[in-house]
Amino acid sequence: MFRAIADVLRQIGAALATVVTLPFRAVARLFGGASSATRRSGRRSSGRPGRRSGRARRV
């Protein structure tokens, strides 16, 4: 029974976190700040481990 209550509270918390962070995500996407930074780091990590592909482009 406690597990069921914990699951319900967890779902409520996840929904609340989504609603709270939604405006911040929209603003970040609008300005391109946080969303482009995460895309850049994801692309860099997909390359070879010793390569620094992001450095030369920012000059």
Side-chain angles (χ1 to χ4, degrees):
M1 181 169 152
F2 288 119
R3 189 170 292 183
I5 294 172
D7 287 340
V8 169
L9 290 175
R10 195 174 299 126
Q11 288 177 351
I12 292 171
L16 187 66
T18 301
V19 169
V20 168
T21 58
L22 205 65
F24 296 105
R25 287 188 205 173
V27 169
R29 185 172 291 186
L30 185 69
F31 289 109
S35 59
S36 67
T38 56
R39 267 188 259 135
R40 208 174 319 153
S41 66
R43 188 168 44 211
R44 187 182 319 147
S45 65
S46 66
R48 283 182 274 174
R51 230 171 101 186
R52 290 187 183 173
S53 60
R55 284 248 189 228
R57 275 186 250 131
R58 281 190 229 150
V59 172

